[in-house]
Amino acid sequence: MFELAAKPLQLATPLVTHVVGSRVLVYESIGSTSDCALRLGGEGTVIVADTQTAGRGRHGRTWHSEPGKGLWFSVAFEQPIEGLAFAAPLAVRDAVAPYARATIKWPNDVLIDGKKFCGVLIETRRGRTALGIGINVHHAEMDFPDELRGSATSIEAATGVHCDRGELLRDVLTRLDERIMVIRSGGLRDVFNEWSTACALAGRRMRAAGKEGVVHAIDTDGALVMETAGGLRRVLFGETIKLEGE
Ligand code: BTN
């Protein structure tokens, strides 16, 4: 199942977009594509690397970015985009639809069969934004470090499909561009509704920051509103939640 060597990473063309991919820079190895995006900037510039030596995830975690295994890329924007955190996981979910039925875990992890194969990191420095996306594509289960085995997967490990990274990259960038155009033409609410439905959290029991309750709603800024014994409580993106049954 994993005998196929990964093809050299190259964006499949054509990329027909409005903003995302105005410039695409492909590196063999880089510290972090997000650092590079924050440094270089340029509206819609995409930085993609075959491997990262200092890939990072949310909450200061390391993001494992082995060569030939995944898609590690960042998109630079010259100002923050409201709703980017909703648009990004939807774009990934839709781009992998030909291979698998992916789901979104609040706020923006993307899962196949309950295991994470994609993470999203949005960082802003002096007004410039880097949207970093990591997608595990060709990993076999044994490629993941011990602590991630059981909770992480790749498209190939989950489906047996050896998809082309360049085509997948083009499809994610295209879907992302489409949603950004929707947001920029006044459709933030539609993208939010799609994302919040995809998160499928309403009514689920969960624990966050020492409190237990049932998810009452998702606010338009993405925060969860949780019904606890002490009343309604907002849970922000940065807080870790544990859903019952997971
Ligand atoms: C998460 O913790 O789930 C977010 C992971 C984000 C990883 C990507 S890989 C490309 C970009 N560069 C980084 O250093 N991180 C992001």
Side-chain angles (χ1 to χ4, degrees), residues 32-34 52 55-58 63 73-74 116 119-120 132-134:
S32 158
T33 56
S34 288
Q52 299 182 113
R56 59 174 178 272
R58 292 167 60 220
W63 183 262
F73 65 98
S74 300
K116 176 168 171 172
V120 172
I133 299 183

Side-chain angles (χ1 to χ4, degrees), residues 31-35 47 52 54-59 61-65 71-74 108-109 116 118-123 131-135:
S32 158
T33 56
S34 288
D35 281 339
I47 313 291
Q52 299 182 113
R56 59 174 178 272
R58 292 167 60 220
H59 309 296
R61 294 192 195 108
T62 297
W63 183 262
H64 299 275
S65 326
L71 267 182
W72 330 121
F73 65 98
S74 300
N108 44 31
D109 289 345
K116 176 168 171 172
C118 167
V120 172
L121 177 72
I122 298 174
E123 296 167 301
L131 163 66
I133 299 183
I135 304 177

Side-chain angles (χ1 to χ4, degrees), residues 112 115-118 136 139 141 144 151-155 157-158:
I112 302 174
K115 292 183 175 183
K116 176 168 171 172
F117 74 97
C118 167
N136 301 331
H139 301 66
E141 207 153 295
F144 293 108
S151 64
T153 193
S154 74
I155 296 172

Side-chain angles (χ1 to χ4, degrees), residues 117-186:
F117 74 97
C118 167
V120 172
L121 177 72
I122 298 174
E123 296 167 301
T124 301
R125 200 176 290 159
R126 288 189 289 275
R128 183 172 282 163
T129 294
L131 163 66
I133 299 183
I135 304 177
N136 301 331
V137 181
H138 296 310
H139 301 66
E141 207 153 295
M142 66 200 180
D143 292 327
F144 293 108
D146 286 351
E147 69 274 15
L148 293 182
R149 256 174 240 163
S151 64
T153 193
S154 74
I155 296 172
E156 186 157 337
T159 66
V161 176
H162 189 87
C163 65
D164 181 87
R165 288 182 299 159
E167 284 174 20
L168 183 63
L169 177 61
R170 179 197 57 206
D171 293 346
V172 174
L173 297 178
T174 305
R175 304 291 191 153
L176 181 65
D177 188 74
E178 284 165 4
R179 286 220 167 63
I180 288 174
M181 294 317 286
V182 170
I183 291 171
R184 288 193 168 163
S185 53

Side-chain angles (χ1 to χ4, degrees), residues 19-243:
V19 187
V20 176
S22 54
R23 191 160 61 131
V24 180
L25 303 175
V26 183
Y27 291 86
E28 212 168 286
S29 176
I30 204 170
S32 158
T33 56
S34 288
D35 281 339
C36 186
L38 286 168
R39 199 171 53 245
L40 287 184
E43 189 71 356
T45 297
V46 173
I47 313 291
V48 51
D50 193 46
T51 185
Q52 299 182 113
T53 54
R56 59 174 178 272
R58 292 167 60 220
H59 309 296
R61 294 192 195 108
T62 297
W63 183 262
H64 299 275
S65 326
E66 287 116 292
K69 298 285 180 191
L71 267 182
W72 330 121
F73 65 98
S74 300
V75 189
F77 299 100
E78 288 304 326
Q79 65 269 306
I81 298 179
E82 206 183 339
L84 194 57
F86 313 142
L90 287 170
V92 174
R93 179 200 66 177
D94 292 350
V96 303
Y99 318 111
R101 199 189 151 274
T103 54
I104 297 174
K105 181 178 176 196
W106 182 91
N108 44 31
D109 289 345
V110 195
L111 318 185
I112 302 174
D113 296 336
K115 292 183 175 183
K116 176 168 171 172
F117 74 97
C118 167
V120 172
L121 177 72
I122 298 174
E123 296 167 301
T124 301
R125 200 176 290 159
R126 288 189 289 275
R128 183 172 282 163
T129 294
L131 163 66
I133 299 183
I135 304 177
N136 301 331
V137 181
H138 296 310
H139 301 66
E141 207 153 295
M142 66 200 180
D143 292 327
F144 293 108
D146 286 351
E147 69 274 15
L148 293 182
R149 256 174 240 163
S151 64
T153 193
S154 74
I155 296 172
E156 186 157 337
T159 66
V161 176
H162 189 87
C163 65
D164 181 87
R165 288 182 299 159
E167 284 174 20
L168 183 63
L169 177 61
R170 179 197 57 206
D171 293 346
V172 174
L173 297 178
T174 305
R175 304 291 191 153
L176 181 65
D177 188 74
E178 284 165 4
R179 286 220 167 63
I180 288 174
M181 294 317 286
V182 170
I183 291 171
R184 288 193 168 163
S185 53
L188 174 61
R189 186 76 212 196
D190 295 333
V191 175
F192 166 78
N193 286 342
E194 205 186 342
W195 168 81
S196 103
T197 304
C199 288
L201 277 180
R204 292 200 64 180
R205 177 158 285 280
M206 54 166 257
R207 253 178 297 137
K211 297 257 187 299
E212 211 172 320
V214 171
V215 180
H216 175 74
I218 306 186
D219 268 350
T220 49
D221 63 355
L224 285 183
V225 183
M226 187 170 125
E227 208 164 340
T228 70
L232 291 181
R233 184 178 176 281
R234 270 167 58 86
V235 180
L236 302 176
F237 259 37
E239 297 180 73
T240 304
I241 64 165
K242 180 93 187 108
L243 293 168

